[in-house]
């Protein structure tokens, strides 16, 4: 699989320094202070690769290559393990071969394999947690009676939660569904899951604070409310009282409210004063609630604009796709590490650019659906419906994990392919679960 991805690495050589890579590098190499705004474990890993590359080859370009190669190997290993699981489950040759082809030649997966973002390794761990959760439900006695099986599950859950905050919330919601779905060992399963949840909370909270790691910015959880308020400000400002205006502008200055982009919360979020908000958060939230009562249509429009691409199978009309393929913080004023891209395979580079930036796949009837970031949602919905028809209710619990994560995406600042990646790599699993359930009836 990794060899099939090599053309993408050569096309993007030495790799894609994109999204939050620079802010994460800045924490350790510039500010010398870790914070939890981004997953600490990923920030440390990313910086370690950059330091190793620069230390050996005297170039941070080499650091980018080291990171991308290691990440590509890890991701291909996790996806290959999943394919082996499909073979063990006897889910069929078509799915087995189809999954290999899907993972190996999907241009988005190829690009992400060599893109420096936490979402890639999180996607792999999220897939493994779904795989092992399915195995626990499918054969509880065999899985939970062995220490190694429990250890595997524990490691995957902890790493998943440490690679993205959403992982913690999704797993906690999933716990009761998993416990209800297992035949035996319900008490043991509940104890294991609760212990894992407590462990994750301690690692991301108490332990993190004790190590001097600063907390992340609370504004990341408020993308939906601030977008809805900004929409009201720009489309029906007369519905806001003078007192409410004063409170709002103390937290979000007018300059940023006017920068409102209905598809991305980043312009408004950039001006959000977290310190001011924390002085009296309830006052701000009460105003948000009151404005919603007065402007329900605008609030719904704001919410749908931010998340519709996660369920609408149609052309993408907005997204930071150029950042995805060409990297970010590469301008001279930001590029203090002197990171440059030198494609070694121009033809393939142009192919990937056409797919990821120009969305040329939208012209192809079937491919346009398969590569759409909303496709996983409908596979989950259809898969769940089939399981209900087959009366294999226990396996529907597996779908709680991706649906829970999908729900967190709707609350995010912008709809982007990297946020949908954990759902995309799970597509063969959703199909596999249904095939295994159907096979049990024969």
């Amino acid at each position: 699989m990794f060899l099939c991805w090599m053309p993408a690495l050569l096309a993007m050589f030495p790799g894609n320094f994109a999204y939050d890579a620079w802010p994460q590098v800045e924490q350790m190499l510039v500010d010398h202070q870790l914070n939890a705004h981004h997953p600490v474990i990923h920030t440390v890993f990313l910086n370690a690769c950059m330091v190793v590359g620069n230390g050996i080859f005297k170039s941070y370009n080499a650091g980018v290559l080291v990171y991308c190669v290691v990440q590509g190997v890890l991701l291909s290993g996790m996806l290959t393990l999943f394919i082996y699981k499909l073979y063990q489950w006897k889910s069929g040759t078509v799915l087995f071969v189809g999954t290999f082809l899907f993972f190996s030649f999907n241009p988005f997966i190829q690009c992400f394999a060599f893109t420096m973002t936490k979402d890639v390794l999180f996607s792999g761990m999220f897939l493994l947690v779904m795989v092992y959760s399915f195995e626990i439900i499918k054969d509880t006695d065999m899985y939970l009676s062995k220490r190694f099986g429990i250890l595997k599950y524990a490691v995957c859950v902890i790493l998943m939660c440490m690679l993205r905050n959403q992982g913690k919330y999704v797993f906690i919601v999933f716990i009761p569904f998993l416990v209800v779905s297992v035949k035996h060992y319900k008490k043991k399963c509940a104890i294991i899951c609760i212990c894992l949840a407590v462990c994750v909370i301690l690692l991301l909270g108490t332990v993190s604070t004790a190590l001097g790691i600063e907390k992340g910015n609370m504004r990341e959880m408020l993308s939906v409310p601030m977008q809805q308020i900004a929409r009201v400000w720009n489309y029906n400002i007369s519905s806001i009282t003078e007192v409410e205006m004063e409170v709002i502008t103390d937290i979000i200055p007018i300059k940023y409210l006017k920068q409102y982009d209905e598809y991305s919360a980043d312009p408004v979020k950039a001006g959000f004063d977290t310190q001011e908000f924390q002085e009296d958060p309830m006052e701000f939230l009460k105003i948000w609630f009151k404005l919603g009562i007065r402007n329900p249509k605008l609030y719904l429009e704001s919410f749908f604009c931010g998340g519709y691409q996660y369920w609408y199978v149609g052309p993408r009309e907005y997204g930071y796709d150029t950042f995805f393929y060409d990297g970010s913080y590469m301008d001279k004023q930001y590029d203090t590490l002197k990171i440059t891209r030198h494609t070694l395979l121009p033809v393939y580079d142009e192919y990937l650019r056409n797919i990821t930036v120009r969305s040329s796949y939208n012209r192809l009837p079937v491919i346009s659906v398969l590569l759409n970031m909303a496709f996983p949602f409908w596979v989950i919905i259809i898969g769940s419906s089939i399981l209900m028809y087959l009366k294999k209710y226990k396996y529907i619990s597996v779908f709680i994990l991706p649906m829970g994560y999908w729900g967190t995406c709707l609350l995010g600042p912008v709809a982007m392919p990297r946020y949908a990646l954990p759902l995309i790599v799970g597509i063969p699993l959703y199909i596999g679960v249904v095939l295994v359930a159907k096979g049990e009836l024969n």
Side-chain angles (χ1 to χ4, degrees):
M1 187 181 300
F2 184 82
L3 292 178
C4 295
W5 292 346
M6 280 301 295
L9 178 59
L10 295 176
M12 303 167 69
F13 194 84
N16 194 8
F17 188 78
Y19 298 122
D20 300 318
W22 168 243
Q24 287 180 270
V25 167
E26 190 177 32
Q27 285 186 36
M28 295 189 72
L29 299 187
V30 179
D31 299 334
H32 306 293
Q33 173 61 59
L34 280 170
N35 67 62
H37 181 71
H38 303 291
V40 175
I41 188 173
H42 183 261
T43 298
V44 172
F45 166 61
L46 187 152
N47 278 275
C49 292
M50 297 295 284
V51 170
V52 168
N54 185 58
I56 297 176
F57 301 102
K58 308 302 178 185
S59 167
Y60 284 112
N61 272 337
V64 172
L65 180 61
V66 169
Y67 174 92
C68 290
V69 170
V70 174
Q71 175 176 268
V73 170
L74 290 173
L75 180 63
S76 63
M78 289 185 277
L79 298 185
T80 300
L81 174 59
F82 166 62
I83 293 175
Y84 176 66
K85 289 294 182 182
L86 288 177
Y87 171 76
Q88 286 186 320
W89 299 341
K90 298 179 181 179
S91 55
T93 304
V94 173
L95 182 61
F96 179 80
V97 175
T99 299
F100 176 78
L101 295 175
F102 177 72
F103 286 157
S104 298
F105 299 105
N106 185 310
F108 283 96
I109 293 177
Q110 287 187 343
C111 289
F112 274 119
F114 306 113
T115 296
M116 301 176 72
T117 175
K118 53 187 173 283
D119 305 275
V120 178
L121 293 177
F122 171 77
S123 297
M125 296 312 306
F126 189 70
L127 176 62
L128 292 185
V129 170
M130 289 193 289
V131 167
Y132 291 137
S133 296
F134 173 64
E135 290 193 330
I136 289 174
I137 296 171
K138 182 175 180 289
D139 198 343
T140 309
D141 293 348
M142 186 186 76
Y143 205 94
L144 292 184
S145 63
K146 296 180 180 179
R147 292 182 180 178
F148 184 63
I150 296 172
L151 180 62
K152 282 191 301 184
Y153 191 65
V155 170
C156 290
V157 168
I158 290 173
L159 287 176
M160 176 192 75
C161 295
M162 293 186 71
L163 284 167
R164 247 198 180 285
N165 281 331
Q166 286 100 314
K168 174 179 65 177
Y169 303 116
V170 172
F171 180 69
I172 290 174
V173 170
F174 174 63
I175 290 175
F177 292 93
L178 178 61
V179 173
V180 169
S181 299
V182 296
K183 274 188 177 181
H184 310 295
Y185 296 98
K186 288 185 183 292
K187 184 177 180 180
K188 185 175 183 179
C189 182
I191 292 173
I192 291 171
C193 290
I194 292 172
C195 286
L196 285 174
V198 171
C199 181
V200 167
I201 292 170
L202 289 175
L203 284 172
L204 297 178
T206 307
V207 175
S208 181
T209 302
L211 292 174
I213 299 170
E214 295 179 353
K215 293 183 178 180
N217 198 315
M218 187 182 290
R219 70 183 183 182
E220 300 302 321
M221 300 185 295
L222 298 169
S223 294
V224 171
M226 66 176 74
Q227 279 291 88
Q228 291 173 328
I229 289 174
R231 189 173 184 87
V232 173
W233 182 281
N234 284 275
Y235 289 92
N236 190 21
I237 194 171
S238 61
S239 68
I240 308 175
T241 67
E242 290 186 8
V243 174
E244 290 170 339
M245 284 185 183
E246 186 177 348
V247 174
I248 291 170
T249 53
D250 281 345
I251 297 173
I252 310 175
I254 296 176
K255 169 187 172 182
Y256 295 95
L257 289 168
K258 289 183 176 180
Q259 291 178 178
Y260 170 69
D261 182 330
E262 61 186 3
Y263 297 115
S264 172
D266 288 343
V268 175
K269 187 175 67 175
F272 189 87
D273 190 333
T274 303
Q275 188 174 353
E276 184 71 28
F277 169 79
Q278 289 177 326
E279 289 183 6
D280 192 354
M282 288 309 300
E283 184 178 20
F284 180 82
L285 294 175
K286 284 178 181 177
I287 291 174
W288 165 69
F289 180 77
K290 290 177 181 177
L291 290 181
I293 297 297
R294 298 175 209 152
N295 301 274
K297 183 173 180 290
L298 290 177
Y299 266 41
L300 284 173
E301 289 174 350
S302 174
F303 180 75
F304 290 147
C305 284
Y308 81 94
Q309 293 182 70
Y310 289 117
W311 71 77
Y312 172 67
V313 183
R316 279 175 52 76
E317 297 181 7
Y318 185 86
Y320 294 142
D321 295 330
T322 53
F323 290 166
F324 164 41
Y325 192 72
D326 291 317
S328 51
Y329 296 95
M330 302 289 280
D331 298 334
K332 289 184 178 180
Q333 65 265 36
Y334 298 115
D335 188 20
T336 56
L337 302 182
K338 307 303 178 186
I339 294 171
T340 53
R341 289 268 292 274
H342 302 285
T343 180
L344 302 179
L345 202 58
V347 174
Y348 207 73
D349 175 68
E350 185 63 17
Y351 160 71
L352 293 177
R353 188 179 301 281
N354 281 331
I355 294 291
T356 61
V357 179
R358 303 179 186 127
S359 300
S360 60
Y361 64 90
N362 281 325
R363 297 194 295 268
L364 306 174
V366 178
I367 301 299
S368 62
V369 175
L370 295 177
L371 295 183
N372 192 285
M373 57 191 278
F375 181 59
F377 169 74
W378 292 106
V379 177
I380 293 170
I381 295 299
I382 294 171
S384 300
S385 301
I386 294 174
L387 290 174
M388 290 183 69
Y389 175 77
L390 297 175
K391 297 182 179 180
K392 288 289 184 177
Y393 304 114
K394 65 177 183 179
Y395 291 144
I396 297 177
S397 297
V398 179
F399 289 13
I400 296 297
L401 282 166
M403 281 305 296
Y405 176 77
W406 179 83
T408 66
C409 289
L410 299 181
L411 304 178
V414 62
M416 300 177 74
R418 72 177 177 116
Y419 296 145
L421 185 62
L423 302 173
I424 293 170
V425 297
I427 290 173
L429 172 69
Y430 315 144
I431 299 172
V433 169
V434 173
L435 292 179
V436 170
K438 187 176 180 183
E440 290 179 351
L441 295 176
N442 298 330

